[in-house]
Amino acid sequence: MPHRNKPKFFRGWAIIIIVLVGFLAINATQSYRALSELVENENDANLTKSVLRTIKDLYSSVQEAELGLRGFFLTGAESYLGPYYFALSTIDENLIEMRNYDFQIPEQIDNTKRLELVILERLQEAGSHILQKQADPDSYRISSEKMRQSYDSMAELGEVIRTMEELEYDLLERQSERAHRSRQNLLYTIVIANSVGLLLVILVAYLIRKALKTQLLEAEHLEMLVHQRTEELEHYSNELQRSNRELQDFAFVASHDLQEPLRKIRAFGDRLKSVYAGKLGDGEDYIDRMQSAASRMSRLIEDLLEFSRVSTRAKPFGPVDLNQVMNVVLDNLEIKIQERNAQVTATKLPIIDADESQMHQLFQNLIGNAIKFTQPDIQPQISIECQVYETVKLGELENTVYEIKVKDNGIGFDEKYIEKIFTPFQRLHGRDKYEGTGIGLAICRRIVERHQGTIEVDSIPGEGSTFTLYLNSRTKDQLVGTEISPFTEGTPNG
Amino acid sequence: MDKKTMVILMADDDKDDQLLARDAMIEGHVTNELHFVNDGVELLQYLRGEGEFAGNNPWPSLILLDLNMPRKDGREALAEIKSDPKLRRIPVVILTTSKTEEDMLRGYDLGAASYLTKPVTFQGLVELMKALGKYWVEFVEIPMPNDH
C-alpha cells in the first residue's frame, strides 16, 4: 500500500531539507562575518592611510620649517620666518593627530614619541638660534658643530619617518591581503549560498511535484477501490435479487405443486366416503380427520402462496385513495361486522402512492383481525385514525409520511409476542378458538415493507391492540425516480 | 345427431384426474363417452387420426384441456388446434389447476371457450361435470366435422 511508507518517505526528505536549511543558516553567518570583516578591514585601512598621510604631512612641514629656517639664517631676511611659523603650527596639529591615533602597531607609539622628541628638540634649538640671530643679525653664525648636529637630527627624523612609513605600508599591505581574502570568502559564500538556495528550490519543487503525483496516484487508487467496491456491491445485489427471485419462484412452484397431491387426497377421500358410505364404521371418522388435515394443509399452502404473491404478483405503484380502499374493505367485511355488532369509525384518509390491491389486502387483514379477535361480552369498537407524521422535502418533490392507526378493544396480546405475530404461520391461539393459519399479519408486514413503510403494534391483553402504519405519500423509488424496487415487476408510475 | 353419443375428449397427463373425471361424470349422470389422451402430442395425433389413434378416434364435440402437460403442453396444443382449419371449431374448455391470471388471459386469447380450474373437492368436480354436460351437451349447438 503506497500510503503506508509515506511517512518514512517524507521523513527522509525532511532530513535533507533540514540539513540544507541548516547549511544555508551557517552560510549566512559566514557571509555576515566576512562582510563585517571587510568593513572593519576597510576602517583599519583608512586609519592606516590617514596615519601615513599625517606622517607625510608632518615630514613635509618639518622640511618646510627647516627650509624657512635656513633661508633666514643664510640671508637674515625675516620674510623666511613666515613659512617657518606656518609650518610650526602645521607640525603642532600633525603631532596632536599623531598622539590621538589608535595605532594597530604598538611600536608606532614609541616611534611617535621619538619623533615628537626629535622634532621638539630640533625646534627648541632652532628657536634659540633664531632669537640669537635676531639679536645680532650681522655677526651671528651657527657653529659648524651645531650645523652638523642639526643635520644629524634631520637625518634621524627622516629615519624615524621612514621606519614608521614602512611599518604602516606593511600594515596596509597586510590589510589589503586580508581584504582580498575576505572578498574571496564572501564571493565563495555567496556562490555557495545561491547554489544551495537553488538546490533547495529545485528540491522543494521536486517534492511538491512528487507529492502531487503521489496524491494523484492515491486518488486514482481510491477511485479504483470505490469502483471495485461498487462492482462488488452490484454483484452482491444482483446475486441477492436473483436468489430472492429464485426463492419466490420456489415458494410459488412449491405451493402450487403441493396443492395437486392434496387435491387428490381430498378427492379420493370424498370418493371413499361416498362410494363406501355406511360400510366404513369408525373408518369414517378417520377419513374426516384426514380430510380436515388435508384441508388445513391446503389452506396453509394457499396462504403461503398468498404470502409469496406480495412480491411475485406485485403491481406497479400508482395513486391510491385509501378512503375508497377502506369503503371496499368495510363492504367486504359487512356481514362479519353485523354478526359481531361491531362499531367501526374511520377518519379521512390520504391518497398515497401504492399498489391498490395490496392496500385492500393490508386493511382487510388488519380490520378483519380486529373483528375476529374480539372479547365475548364487549361491543367491538374499531377506529381508524390518520395524521401527518412528517413531511420530507427532497428537491422539488415532497414526501409526507402518514401515521395510520387501526385501534380495537379486542383481546389484545402480551407485547413479548410482537415479533411472533408478524412471522408467517405463528399463532397465539388454538385453532379451535380462532380460525386462520397465522399468515395475515406476516402479509401485512410484507406489504408495508414493500411500500417502504413500517408497521408497529401496541397491545394490552384484555384491553385491545393498536396497529400503527407509517406509509409514504410518495415512495422512495418515485422520489429518486430511477431505481426500481427489486420486488416490483413493473416500473412505478411517475 | 344424438346428443347422448357426443364424445368428450380429455387431455390430461394425470391418471388420477382422468379417473376422477370419469367417476364424476358417472356420479353426475353425464352419460357421454369420455376419451383420454395424455399430452398435447397425443391430442393432435388423436384429432388427426395419426399413429395409434388411426381409426380409433371418434370425433369429439368438446375437448377438456389441461395446461401443464409433458412433451407438448396445453397452450401449444391449443394454439395448434386453433390454427388448423379442420380443428379450430371444436370447442376447447381449459380445465387446469393453474389460477394465474396470465394463463387465463392467454387461454382466452388462444381461443379457449371457457377457462375452469379443477375443483378441490370431488363434489365440486361432480357439479362441474354436471354443468358441462348440461351446457355443452344439452344446449350448445356444435358443428360436426363434415359441416362447412
Side-chain angles (χ1 to χ4, degrees):
Chain A
M1 294 258 163
H3 62 265
R4 260 191 132 189
N5 51 30
K6 200 170 77 179
K8 207 173 165 188
F9 166 78
F10 275 106
R11 206 182 307 136
W13 286 113
I15 287 167
I16 292 173
I17 287 176
I18 286 169
V19 166
L20 282 177
V21 168
F23 199 76
L24 267 184
I26 291 167
N27 202 263
T29 328
Q30 201 83 4
S31 31
Y32 175 75
R33 260 224 311 265
L35 209 64
S36 50
E37 208 175 86
L38 208 64
V39 170
E40 201 183 321
N41 208 37
E42 202 180 319
N43 287 341
D44 287 352
N46 283 340
L47 180 67
T48 309
K49 280 175 194 158
S50 172
V51 169
L52 275 170
R53 203 168 46 241
T54 311
I55 289 170
K56 263 201 182 81
D57 282 356
L58 189 66
Y59 190 49
S60 64
S61 295
V62 169
Q63 278 175 331
E64 262 170 45
E66 191 68 30
L67 212 65
L69 207 61
R70 283 194 194 165
F72 172 64
F73 276 110
L74 284 174
T75 60
E78 288 267 349
S79 62
Y80 283 106
L81 285 177
Y84 170 76
Y85 286 120
F86 180 74
L88 276 191
S89 73
T90 318
I91 287 166
D92 220 32
E93 275 171 28
N94 285 337
L95 278 177
I96 289 165
E97 256 177 61
M98 286 298 281
R99 251 181 266 134
N100 285 339
Y101 276 134
D102 187 11
F103 288 111
Q104 285 150 293
I105 309 162
E107 293 167 70
Q108 293 292 58
I109 298 165
D110 291 336
N111 285 339
T112 306
K113 277 181 185 159
R114 203 172 139 210
L115 191 72
E116 210 175 333
L117 204 73
V118 173
I119 290 170
L120 286 178
E121 246 175 36
R122 172 81 190 121
L123 287 180
Q124 219 168 4
E125 196 171 314
S128 72
H129 284 306
I130 289 167
L131 286 176
Q132 283 171 41
K133 177 73 178 175
Q134 278 171 335
D136 184 11
D138 298 322
S139 58
Y140 184 72
R141 291 286 184 275
I142 299 168
S143 63
S144 56
E145 170 77 2
K146 287 281 182 211
M147 281 293 270
R148 203 171 37 82
Q149 265 179 9
S150 99
Y151 275 118
D152 283 352
S153 76
M154 272 311 280
E156 195 188 350
L157 185 71
E159 203 187 296
V160 172
I161 293 277
R162 260 195 314 279
T163 313
M164 283 185 83
E165 272 181 345
E166 260 166 36
L167 279 172
E168 286 301 320
Y169 275 122
D170 275 357
L171 182 64
L172 199 63
E173 205 168 307
R174 279 204 306 279
Q175 279 166 344
S176 147
E177 255 169 44
R178 212 160 62 215
H180 181 72
R181 247 192 344 264
S182 288
R183 267 200 303 277
Q184 207 71 19
N185 273 348
L186 197 62
L187 201 70
Y188 289 148
T189 317
I190 285 167
V191 166
I192 287 168
N194 280 331
S195 306
V196 171
L198 201 67
L199 201 71
L200 205 64
V201 166
I202 290 169
L203 193 71
V204 167
Y206 169 75
L207 275 181
I208 287 171
R209 226 186 84 126
K210 191 155 183 151
L212 280 176
K213 213 167 149 186
T214 314
Q215 217 170 23
L216 209 72
L217 276 174
E218 202 107 318
E220 266 172 23
H221 181 70
L222 217 65
E223 204 176 326
M224 203 189 73
L225 271 180
V226 167
H227 187 73
Q228 207 177 326
R229 291 281 149 80
T230 313
E231 259 181 6
E232 274 170 24
L233 272 178
E234 229 163 69
H235 178 74
Y236 181 70
S237 156
N238 287 342
E239 194 71 6
L240 206 66
Q241 274 186 40
R242 196 180 56 78
S243 82
N244 212 14
R245 224 170 15 243
E246 274 174 8
L247 206 66
Q248 279 161 10
D249 289 351
F250 174 77
F252 184 76
V253 168
S255 46
H256 213 261
D257 292 349
L258 282 173
Q259 286 286 19
E260 272 299 300
L262 264 182
R263 200 168 49 81
K264 304 280 174 53
I265 291 169
R266 295 175 74 187
F268 286 115
D270 284 346
R271 291 301 294 139
L272 203 59
K273 255 179 88 175
S274 62
V275 174
Y276 298 94
K279 294 180 193 164
L280 290 167
D282 286 348
E284 218 161 309
D285 180 47
Y286 292 148
I287 292 172
D288 283 343
R289 286 174 188 276
M290 189 185 82
Q291 297 282 68
S292 126
S295 130
R296 203 165 63 243
M297 184 155 175
S298 179
R299 226 0 247 292
L300 281 168
I301 292 167
E302 200 62 52
D303 286 349
L304 188 65
L305 198 58
E306 198 66 43
F307 184 66
S308 80
R309 271 179 192 150
V310 172
S311 42
T312 56
R313 292 282 182 81
K315 292 201 180 69
F317 290 176
V320 176
D321 186 348
L322 292 182
N323 298 296
Q324 276 179 17
V325 169
M326 194 57 68
N327 287 338
V328 173
V329 167
L330 292 180
D331 264 4
N332 290 345
L333 296 169
E334 181 72 43
I335 297 163
K336 281 184 183 164
I337 291 169
Q338 279 178 0
E339 266 175 20
R340 308 272 171 120
N341 190 28
Q343 199 187 2
V344 184
T345 53
T347 57
K348 194 173 182 300
L349 296 173
I351 296 171
I352 64 165
D353 187 49
D355 179 337
E356 188 168 4
S357 65
Q358 290 190 348
M359 285 297 111
H360 279 134
Q361 213 176 349
L362 173 66
F363 284 104
Q364 178 125 6
N365 285 352
L366 286 178
I367 295 164
N369 273 353
I371 297 166
K372 187 159 98 181
F373 298 106
T374 48
Q375 308 208 55
D377 304 319
I378 300 170
Q379 189 201 12
Q381 288 193 328
I382 300 154
S383 69
I384 298 111
E385 289 161 25
C386 176
Q387 65 180 60
V388 172
Y389 179 68
E390 63 176 354
T391 301
V392 184
K393 233 185 155 106
L394 258 167
E396 286 177 16
L397 295 168
E398 211 178 56
N399 177 37
T400 306
V401 180
Y402 292 104
E403 183 188 79
I404 301 169
K405 284 179 187 289
V406 177
K407 195 175 174 182
D408 66 52
N409 61 345
I411 55 171
F413 62 89
D414 192 324
E415 286 192 348
K416 71 181 174 190
Y417 296 121
I418 283 180
E419 213 18 67
K420 214 171 171 174
I421 64 164
F422 287 114
T423 311
F425 305 126
Q426 293 288 334
R427 296 164 49 88
L428 299 183
H429 308 283
R431 275 194 304 277
D432 46 341
K433 222 169 161 189
Y434 296 97
E435 58 168 16
T437 56
I439 198 75
L441 288 173
I443 289 175
C444 286
R445 181 157 79 173
R446 225 155 159 218
I447 289 173
V448 170
E449 279 172 0
R450 192 193 152 219
H451 287 75
Q452 289 148 13
T454 45
I455 181 165
E456 288 170 6
V457 63
D458 304 297
S459 190
I460 300 165
E463 283 186 29
S465 309
T466 306
F467 286 87
T468 310
L469 304 168
Y470 295 95
L471 293 172
N472 300 294
S473 68
R474 288 168 188 273
T475 50
K476 282 182 194 110
D477 293 349
Q478 209 189 15
L479 287 174
V480 175
T482 51
E483 283 295 305
I484 298 162
S485 154
F487 298 116
T488 31
E489 281 167 359
T491 38
N493 289 357
Chain B
M1 78 174 262
D2 185 357
K3 301 242 175 191
K4 294 291 173 196
T5 63
M6 271 173 57
V7 169
I8 298 171
L9 178 61
M10 183 176 189
D12 200 317
D13 61 312
D14 192 322
K15 295 282 183 195
D16 291 338
D17 277 337
Q18 292 181 4
L19 174 62
L20 287 168
R22 184 175 296 255
D23 282 5
M25 270 180 78
I26 294 163
E27 188 97 356
H29 307 293
V30 181
T31 55
N32 296 73
E33 227 179 286
L34 182 63
H35 288 251
F36 298 108
V37 285
N38 294 305
D39 55 51
V41 174
E42 282 188 20
L43 174 60
L44 283 146
Q45 280 180 344
Y46 180 102
L47 293 174
R48 289 166 178 160
E50 295 165 356
E52 57 173 304
F53 300 103
N56 180 27
N57 59 338
W59 191 253
S61 306
L62 177 68
I63 295 170
L64 296 179
L65 181 67
D66 185 23
L67 287 182
N68 298 314
M69 290 185 293
R71 297 211 283 172
K72 185 176 280 177
D73 71 12
R75 302 167 192 87
E76 293 170 271
L78 180 58
E80 220 167 305
I81 289 166
K82 290 300 166 190
S83 62
D84 188 330
K86 287 188 185 134
L87 308 176
R88 67 173 172 222
R89 289 185 184 134
I90 308 169
V92 178
V93 169
I94 292 170
L95 182 61
T96 178
T97 47
S98 168
K99 286 177 185 169
T100 59
E101 202 179 311
E102 193 197 340
D103 279 340
M104 184 180 71
L105 296 177
R106 187 139 168 239
Y108 283 115
D109 284 348
L110 288 171
S114 300
Y115 188 96
L116 305 172
T117 53
K118 288 177 181 168
V120 176
T121 61
F122 181 72
Q123 205 46 52
L125 190 61
V126 172
E127 294 301 322
L128 187 136
M129 282 306 183
K130 270 160 95 173
L132 278 177
K134 189 117 187 138
Y135 182 73
W136 288 105
V137 178
E138 285 184 27
F139 296 124
V140 176
E141 294 296 337
I142 298 164
M144 286 318 284
N146 49 358
D147 291 352
H148 290 289

